[in-house]
Structures are given as C-alpha cells and as structure tokens.
Amino acid sequence: MSIFGTRPEAIKMAPLIKALEKEKDFQSIVVVSAQHREMLDQVLDLFQIKPQYDLNIMQAGQTLSDITCRVLKGLEPVLEKEKPDMILVHGDTTTTFAAALAAFYHKIPVGHVEAGLRSGNMYSPFPEEINRKLTAGLTTLHFAPTPTAKENLIGEGVREEQIFVTGNTVIDALLATVKPDYKFNHSELQAIDFANKRVILVTAHRRENLGEPMKNIFQALVQLHEEFNDIEIIFPVHKNPAVRNLAFEILGDYKRIHLIEPLDYEPFANLLAKCYFILTDSGGLQEEAPALGKPVLVLRENTERPEAVAAGTVALVGTQKQKIFYHSYNLLVNLEIYAKMERAVNPYGDGKSCSRIIEALKFYFKFIRIRPRDWFCL
Ligand code: UD1
Ligand code: UDP
C-alpha cells in the first residue's frame, strides 16, 4: 500500500506505482491523504493513477496538527480493512510521518522511499527534517537515494541490512517526461522567446520562508527585472495563500515577471530543461535541475541534499535580497561562473530507482534470494 499526499510525493511515487502495477508478485493499493488537492490531482491525472482511497483532508490554512490528526484518523479504517503486508511512504511531509505512525500502530512494516536525507538542523527544513527522522524510527526498509543518505542512517544506528541504496525515483519520473522536441500547450509559455531571452525559473513555498524571507526573495526578483532587459522570470505560484498574496502584491505588475498557476509536471519538467537557471527553495528541484545541467540557486541557508552542492551545480544563497541579487547577477554576466555550474551531473539517480526498490521488496518478501546491489554514482 502506497500512501502519499502532496505534489512532490506523487511525482516521486508515480513511477514506482506504475512499476508495481506490472508486478505479478504484488498487489498495489494507492491511498492519498490529499494534503494537497489540486496540485496532487495534477500529478495523478498525468500518470493516470486512480487511488483506491482518498482521505481528502486538505483545508485552507491547515496547521501541522490538523494534517497529522486527519491523516492518522483517516487511515485507521483503511488499514483495518485492507491489512496490507507493507506500507510505502515517501520523503518528509507530514502525510509521510503520520502514515508511518499509523502503520506502526497497526504493526505493519514501513518501506521509506527517499530515506536518510539530513540537514542536521531540526528547524530547517521545518518540519521536514524531523518528519524524515521520525519516519526513519518507524521504518523497516530504508530506500536511501544516495550513499550519503545511507551513511546518515547508519550513523543513527539503523542496521545496514535494512538499507538499500536505490537512487532517487524523481530521476525516473524526469527522464520519462522531458522531451527535446516538447511544445508548450500554455499560451503564456508559448509567447516566451526562448531563443533570444534568458528564462529564470522561480519556485518558493517553504514554511520557514513565509513572511520576511519571501518578501526579500521577491524584492530581489524585482531588482533583477530592472537590471536586465533580456530576462523573463517565470514563477508558477504555489497554491498556498500565504505565498500567493505576497507574490501578487510585490510581483504582480511587471511585464517580464510571469506569475502563473502551478504547472502540470510535464510542462514544468520541460520548462526546467529550457530555462537559463533556477531560483528555488524546493527540495525536488535541487535533484532534477542538476540532471539537466541547469544551475540552481537555493533560497535556503542549508540543504539535506549536499551532493549537487559538492558537484558545483547547486549553490546555497539564502534569503537576503542582496545575496540573491549578487549570485543571480554573476550567473547572468559571468560566463565562466555559469559554465562551471551548468555541467550535467547525476548524483541522485540513473532512472532505474524504481526497479531497484522493487527488487529490494522481492528480496524482503523472499521472492528472490540474492540481495540487490546498492546503486552508486560514478
Ligand atoms: C507541503 C509539505 C512540504 C512540501 C510541500 C510541497 C508538510 C508540512 N509540508 O507544504 O514538505 O515541500 O508540500 O509543495 O508536509 N493548497 C491548496 N491546494 C493545493 C495545495 C495547497 O489550496 O493543491 C493550499 C492550502 O490552503 C493549504 C496550503 O496550501 O492549507 C498549504 O499546504 P500544506 O500542504 O500544508 O503546506 P505546503 O507548504 O504545501
Ligand atoms: N513542480 C511541478 N509544477 C510546478 C512546480 C514544481 O510539477 O509548477 C514539480 C517539480 O518538478 C518537482 C516537484 O514539483 O518535481 C517539487 O515540488 P515542491 O517544490 O512543491 O516540493 P518539494 O520538492 O520542495 O518538497
């Protein structure tokens, strides 16, 4: 039984669910909490996933306690009825943690996809760092995307035989979605002159960036817009009203700043492939953009995804206006700095993560006798 609730979990679980559906050894049940509604449904539609259970918990302005309680309570009758042999959760959202806790209360083993990422700071990302750690405490099989994630788990006392290094399933989703000849079916994107303009792609939604930090980020975008007349800034605005209100207030009136609705994954991934660089506080984008050779400036002080920082394609720039402007400016005027960051690297996967996870599940359930080998990035 796969349980998830937000856009990034859906994107990263979709290829695994599609692969599980093809396996004769397993019966796959999909449960969505719908912690996100529209942004989740976009992904379910794209990958043609029809959940057997939909807890439909999203409320405007939901608190962390709201999400936790509603997922926990909503899962109770589902788990009692279905009694799955294993529950798969993904990553670090509050749906992830609450679903793992529900599984534990029903003594059902948990497989944690994208396990072991750590920033080392319990308040950043908030609440994701602790959601991920608490989920690890409730997990039987840890699917670590990278060797670093495995080391983090071992450092916390997880036994090595419980960990499988698989790569990140987001690369499976990305490689299946980006097409060199992709044409946008979106009027505002169709009107962008990708050949002569440099497109900066922006996303921002982190809870710890709401308020003053996000204001700084948006003011830096205004400054960039004033300084460079050959850039187009595209910002698909997250559905959170706390993000939207501020974004439209500060950025609503500029010709080359395009505030658009969250994009479906297919146009978004293809926009990623066509943009000049990315400004973001997203986790998933730090994994996807390096695979496409796109520089990423991360609007955070730290990251639980250090691999692409080490490879030089991702830089942490924080949320101060002048710092964001300075690093973006450098990327726009200095070709040497740009060239150093645009190298395509793949520390997060090779597009075969889902099949490794399935092999690990087969090994756990004794359908196969040989333990699958860990993935390692060359
Ligand atoms: C959640 C996750 C975060 C993840 C992010 C991905 C938690 C605590 N946070 O944060 O880890 O990075 O998703 O985007 O689990 N809303 C809609 N429609 C939607 C989605 C959201 O209207 O489709 C609005 C609702 O008013 C909702 C608010 O956005 O109350 C915030 O959603 P929530 O899931 O609580 O937080 P995110 O910031 O999206
Ligand atoms: N994404 C998308 N449409 C958008 C913005 C992002 O499909 O308009 C995808 C993006 O490619 C990535 C995922 O959503 O796979 C990241 O989600 P988000 O930034 O909401 O969450 P995070 O990764 O920070 O948890």
Side-chain angles (χ1 to χ4, degrees):
M1 175 180 286
S2 305
I3 309 180
F4 54 93
T6 66
R7 168 174 68 191
E9 292 163 77
I11 291 169
K12 291 166 162 181
M13 286 299 276
L16 180 58
I17 288 162
K18 299 313 275 181
L20 273 173
E21 280 170 0
K22 292 193 193 125
E23 288 292 328
K24 61 175 177 17
D25 290 331
F26 299 115
Q27 184 199 345
S28 165
I29 301 175
V30 175
V31 180
V32 293
S33 70
Q35 173 180 335
H36 284 174
R37 187 69 277 171
E38 304 90 320
M39 285 162 55
L40 171 75
D41 292 343
Q42 284 181 310
V43 186
L44 297 177
D45 289 348
L46 173 66
F47 288 95
Q48 298 181 320
I49 293 172
K50 292 193 178 34
Q52 280 83 346
Y53 296 91
D54 186 333
L55 308 183
N56 199 24
I57 67 150
M58 194 193 85
Q59 292 175 334
Q62 60 202 2
T63 66
L64 298 176
S65 312
D66 288 334
I67 305 169
T68 311
C69 295
R70 286 160 72 82
V71 172
L72 207 51
K73 207 69 195 137
L75 284 176
E76 205 158 58
V78 177
L79 302 192
E80 267 159 26
K81 176 161 182 259
E82 296 289 349
K83 296 188 176 31
D85 296 303
M86 171 156 293
I87 285 178
L88 297 176
V89 296
H90 182 281
D92 60 7
T93 73
T94 295
T95 290
T96 311
F97 161 60
L101 186 59
F104 170 67
Y105 286 165
H106 290 80
K107 298 199 174 138
I108 301 165
V110 171
H112 186 196
V113 182
E114 201 186 77
L117 282 63
R118 297 289 184 268
S119 71
N121 179 339
M122 73 188 287
Y123 290 110
S124 176
F126 174 83
E128 290 82 2
E129 173 80 356
I130 292 302
N131 278 346
R132 216 187 278 271
K133 279 186 91 162
L134 294 172
T135 303
L138 302 162
T139 289
T140 296
L141 296 184
H142 304 258
F143 303 113
T146 65
T148 310
K150 175 177 175 174
E151 280 165 31
N152 291 337
L153 290 165
I154 288 187
E156 290 172 11
V158 177
R159 282 181 291 119
E160 191 164 11
E161 63 263 29
Q162 289 178 269
I163 309 170
F164 296 84
V165 182
T166 60
N168 196 311
T169 58
V170 79
I171 305 297
D172 302 31
L174 185 74
L175 297 183
T177 310
V178 172
K179 309 262 159 33
D181 53 352
Y182 184 81
K183 300 260 181 302
F184 294 107
N185 180 17
H186 183 291
S187 55
E188 205 157 345
L189 296 181
Q190 279 171 343
I192 305 270
D193 179 2
F194 283 92
N196 297 302
K197 295 282 174 117
R198 294 184 291 179
V199 169
I200 303 177
L201 179 57
V202 178
T203 80
H205 71 83
R206 295 240 80 79
R207 263 181 163 75
E208 64 270 29
N209 279 349
L210 297 178
E212 206 55 34
M214 210 164 271
K215 206 166 162 185
N216 296 337
I217 296 169
F218 296 165
Q219 284 170 347
L221 298 180
V222 173
Q223 207 181 338
L224 283 170
H225 177 270
E226 278 163 10
E227 188 76 24
F228 296 92
N229 58 18
D230 72 327
I231 61 170
E232 301 278 343
I233 297 175
I234 304 183
F235 180 6
V237 188
H238 192 283
K239 285 283 183 190
N240 188 342
V243 179
R244 295 178 87 76
N245 295 342
L246 197 65
F248 283 93
E249 184 190 315
I250 301 179
L251 303 170
D253 290 332
Y254 297 93
K255 206 166 147 252
R256 287 176 291 107
I257 301 184
H258 307 270
L259 302 182
I260 59 175
E261 287 301 310
L263 285 167
D264 289 349
Y265 185 60
E266 193 175 33
F268 187 83
N270 283 284
L271 179 58
L272 199 57
K274 291 186 202 304
C275 76
Y276 196 63
F277 73 88
I278 296 124
L279 277 165
T280 189
D281 63 8
S282 159
L285 277 170
Q286 294 174 54
E287 297 154 345
E288 293 164 311
L292 299 170
K294 299 295 173 180
V296 187
L297 301 182
V298 178
L299 305 163
R300 291 174 46 184
E301 307 294 344
N302 66 11
T303 183
E304 65 283 24
R305 296 169 166 88
E307 294 87 349
V309 178
T313 61
V314 168
L316 294 174
V317 302
T319 55
Q320 286 172 24
K321 179 180 161 190
Q322 282 317 321
K323 243 178 135 182
I324 298 167
F325 178 79
Y326 169 79
H327 285 280
S328 306
Y329 181 93
N330 279 343
L331 272 180
L332 288 162
V333 299
N334 190 327
L335 288 180
E336 226 172 281
I337 293 180
Y338 187 86
K340 274 192 190 145
M341 288 189 78
E342 79 167 335
R343 282 179 314 111
V345 293
N346 249 333
Y348 297 112
D350 59 354
K352 295 180 189 146
S353 307
C354 296
S355 59
R356 289 193 191 93
I357 292 171
I358 287 178
E359 287 302 291
L361 288 170
K362 285 184 179 169
F363 179 69
Y364 174 79
F365 285 110
K366 301 193 167 49
F367 295 133
I368 57 174
R369 296 174 68 174
I370 298 172
R371 185 187 160 91
R373 286 164 63 170
D374 278 355
W375 176 71
F376 62 97
C377 180
L378 286 177

